[in-house]
Amino acid sequence: MPPSVPSLPRRVARILRTSLFAQVACALVLGIVVGRLWPGFASDLQPLGDGFTRLIKTIISPLVFCVVVVGIAKAGDLKAFGRIGLKALIWFEVASTLALVIGLVAANVVQPGSGMHVDPATLSAKAVDAKTGGGSLPSTTEFVLNALPTSFIGAFAENSLLQVLVLACLVGAALLHLGNTRVPQVLPAIEQAQEIIFAIVGFVMRLAPIAVFGAMAVLIGQYGLGVIETYAKLIVLCYAAAALFVALLAVALKALTGLSLWKFVRYIREELLLALGTASTESVLPRVMQKLRKAGARDDAVGLVLPTGYSFNLDGASLYLSIGTLFIAQAVGVDLSLGQQITVVLVLMLTSKGMAGIPGSAFLALSATASSLGAIPAGAVALLLGVDRIMDSMRVVTNLLGNCVAVFAVSRWEGALDVERAKQVLGDTTEVVREEAVEAVQDGAAETSAKEPVPES
C-alpha cells in the first residue's frame, strides 16, 4: 500500500513551521500589504524591528571576540593572522574602488539626474542636518584612534567591532605566548562561551519574521510606493550597477576558489532575506559567521575578515555614493569634468571607510564630497532624502555578499579554506536542510527534557 501523501495545507503548514526562509518571506509580503493599506498603524510597528536589532547587537561583540581568540589560539601562528588582515585590507580597497568606478561609469552613461532642472536656491541643507543629527565623519586620524579601545569593558559596551577585534587579537596573542600549559582553562572556557552565544543566536533568530514584518510595514507606511515612480531611473540604475558588481564578484570567486556564488546565495538565503527586510547587515552577522565556518573557512579568517569588512568594505554604499554624487550634480545642472570625477573617487575612497555605525553616514559622505568639489550646492544632497531608504536593500545585499566573497578569497589566498568541504556544503543543499532539521529536533528535545519533572528518588 503506497504511503499517504500529505495534503497541500499540511505541507504548507509544515514548511512555514520548519523553514525560516518561508517565514521571513511571508512576513516580508505581509509587511508590505499592511504598510500599503494601513500606513498609520504601520508606523507604530517600528519597535518590532528595532527590538530584534538590539537583541542581535548584544551578542555581536562577544561572538566576534570568542571566534577571533579561538581562531588565533587554534591556528597557533600570529604571523598568519597578520597576513590575513593585510590581505583582507588589500582586497577591501580593490573591491570598494572597483565599486566606485562602476558607479561613476554607470551614472555617466545613463545620467539619471539629467532633465530634472532643479533650482539650487529652492534646496535647503536643514533637512540633511536633521537626518544626520548635525554629525560629521571622523578624519583618518580620528578613525584610527577610535579603533583603539580606551577600556576593555567599554569596547563591548559601545559595541565597537574594531575595538573588540583589537582586544581579541591581544588576548589571542597572549594565549599563544603563555601556552596551554600555563593557562589551560582559558581557551576551553572561551570555546564554551562561544557555543552558548551561538545557542542564543538560534533563540533570537526565531523572532526574525516578526522583525521583518515590522520593518517592511514601517518602510512602506512612511514612504509609500509613489517614491519608486519619482526616482525610477535612479533606483533601476543603482540596482543594475549592483547586479553587475555582484556578477563580477561571482567571476572572481569562481576564478580564485572554484566556488559558485549562486550556490552560496542559496546557502545563506534566509540571512539575505532577513538583511533585506531589516535593512541591516548587523542583524545577520552571527549567523553568517556560523555558516562560513561550516562552509570550510577557518575560524581566524572568518573572525577577522568578516567583521573588519563591516567597516572597510562597504561595496554597496560605494556604488550608491558615486552614483548619488553624479545624480545630484546632473539634477542641478552641474557638469563635472574628468578631473572632478577622479576627485570624487579619491574623496569617497576615504570617507566611505568611516561610515559604519554613524547615523546618516551616506549623507555626510555626500556632503563632504560636494564640499570638496566646490561645484555642487550643499543643499542638493537633500534630493536623495526621499529615495535613500529604498536603496538600503541594494546596499545591504551588496555589502554582505562582498564581505562573504572576501572571506572565501582571503581564506583561499592564505590556505585557510577547505575547498572540498565548501563545495560539499554549497553543492548539497539537502545536507544543509538536513543539518538545520537535526538542530531543530535537538532544540525541541532539549526543551522537552527541560520541562519534564525530575523523578523522585
Side-chain angles (χ1 to χ4, degrees):
M1 187 174 177
S4 60
V5 178
S7 61
L8 181 59
R10 287 190 175 184
R11 280 183 287 172
V12 171
R14 184 170 60 187
I15 291 174
L16 287 175
R17 188 175 64 252
T18 59
S19 172
L20 179 63
F21 179 81
Q23 294 169 5
V24 172
C26 289
L28 194 72
V29 174
L30 187 59
I32 294 174
V33 172
V34 170
R36 181 71 178 88
L37 298 180
W38 303 286
F41 170 71
S43 62
D44 296 330
L45 301 177
Q46 184 74 41
L48 297 180
D50 291 347
F52 177 81
T53 304
R54 286 191 176 197
L55 287 174
I56 287 292
K57 284 185 176 181
T58 59
I59 55 181
I60 287 178
S61 292
L63 175 61
V64 170
F65 178 82
C66 291
V67 170
V68 172
V69 171
V70 172
I72 294 176
K74 285 191 172 181
D77 186 359
L78 196 59
K79 291 183 179 179
F81 195 73
R83 288 197 305 270
I84 290 174
L86 178 61
K87 291 173 181 178
L89 291 177
I90 294 173
W91 177 276
F92 294 158
E93 193 57 51
V94 171
S96 57
T97 303
L98 176 62
L100 288 171
V101 172
I102 289 176
L104 283 180
V105 172
N108 276 291
V109 172
V110 179
Q111 297 194 352
S114 62
M116 294 186 69
H117 305 298
V118 177
D119 183 4
T122 63
L123 300 173
S124 173
K126 291 183 179 179
V128 177
D129 291 338
K131 178 76 173 180
T132 60
S136 61
L137 292 176
S139 64
T140 303
T141 303
E142 291 173 336
F143 180 72
V144 173
L145 287 177
N146 289 339
L148 302 177
T150 55
S151 72
F152 201 99
I153 303 299
F156 291 89
E158 296 172 5
N159 213 24
S160 175
L161 281 185
L162 290 181
Q163 293 184 12
V164 171
L165 276 173
V166 171
L167 290 173
C169 292
L170 293 174
V171 173
L175 286 177
L176 285 180
H177 176 70
L178 294 173
N180 194 46
T181 56
R182 296 177 65 180
V183 283
Q185 303 300 322
V186 175
L187 185 58
I190 295 177
E191 288 183 299
Q192 291 169 16
Q194 178 179 283
E195 293 302 318
I196 292 173
I197 294 170
F198 276 126
I200 295 174
V201 171
F203 298 151
V204 176
M205 286 302 294
R206 296 182 182 183
L207 303 175
I210 300 175
V212 169
F213 166 72
M216 286 307 300
V218 171
L219 170 63
I220 302 301
Q222 286 183 349
Y223 296 94
L225 300 176
V227 68
I228 297 179
E229 298 176 4
T230 305
Y231 291 92
K233 194 174 183 181
L234 175 63
I235 294 172
V236 170
L237 175 62
C238 285
Y239 278 82
L244 173 61
F245 181 78
V246 170
L248 293 177
L249 285 179
V251 173
L253 181 65
K254 190 70 175 179
L256 293 173
T257 66
L259 303 177
S260 166
L261 183 60
W262 170 244
K263 290 182 178 180
F264 179 73
V265 168
R266 285 192 301 167
Y267 176 56
I268 62 165
R269 58 189 181 277
E270 292 93 349
E271 290 73 26
L272 280 174
L273 200 57
L274 177 57
L276 275 171
T278 59
S280 170
T281 51
E282 285 188 342
S283 63
V284 298
L285 176 59
R287 285 263 299 193
V288 172
M289 289 181 71
Q290 190 175 24
K291 285 199 167 183
L292 285 170
R293 293 167 67 227
K294 287 184 178 180
R298 208 167 66 195
D299 284 6
D300 53 345
V302 174
L304 179 61
V305 177
L306 190 62
T308 306
Y310 272 54
S311 295
F312 287 91
N313 193 39
L314 305 174
D315 298 327
S318 298
L319 272 170
Y320 172 64
L321 290 173
S322 56
I323 294 175
T325 301
L326 262 67
F327 169 78
I328 59 179
Q330 294 162 2
V332 298
V334 174
D335 185 19
L336 298 180
S337 65
L338 178 60
Q340 288 174 315
Q341 294 191 33
I342 293 175
T343 302
V344 168
V345 173
L346 296 176
V347 171
L348 290 178
M349 282 173 63
L350 296 175
T351 56
S352 63
K353 299 298 183 292
M355 288 175 54
I358 299 176
S361 56
F363 293 99
L364 292 173
L366 286 169
S367 298
T369 306
S371 299
S372 66
L373 292 174
I376 304 175
V381 178
L383 287 171
L384 292 172
L385 283 171
V387 75
D388 182 69
R389 183 63 179 81
I390 304 296
M391 297 300 185
D392 277 342
S393 299
M394 178 275 292
R395 288 195 293 249
V396 297
V397 170
T398 309
N399 289 344
L400 183 60
L401 289 179
N403 286 323
C404 290
V405 170
V407 171
F408 281 124
V410 174
S411 298
R412 178 64 169 170
W413 193 0
E414 184 57 28
L417 176 65
D418 186 343
V419 178
E420 293 305 316
R421 170 64 178 166
K423 289 181 177 179
Q424 177 186 357
V425 171
L426 301 186
D428 189 2
T429 55
T430 57
E431 180 64 27
V432 176
V433 172
R434 189 179 300 116
E435 287 183 4
E436 292 178 349
V438 170
E439 290 177 359
V441 170
Q442 290 174 344
D443 290 342
E447 291 177 1
T448 302
S449 62
K451 293 179 182 178
E452 291 178 352
V454 178
E456 297 180 359
S457 57

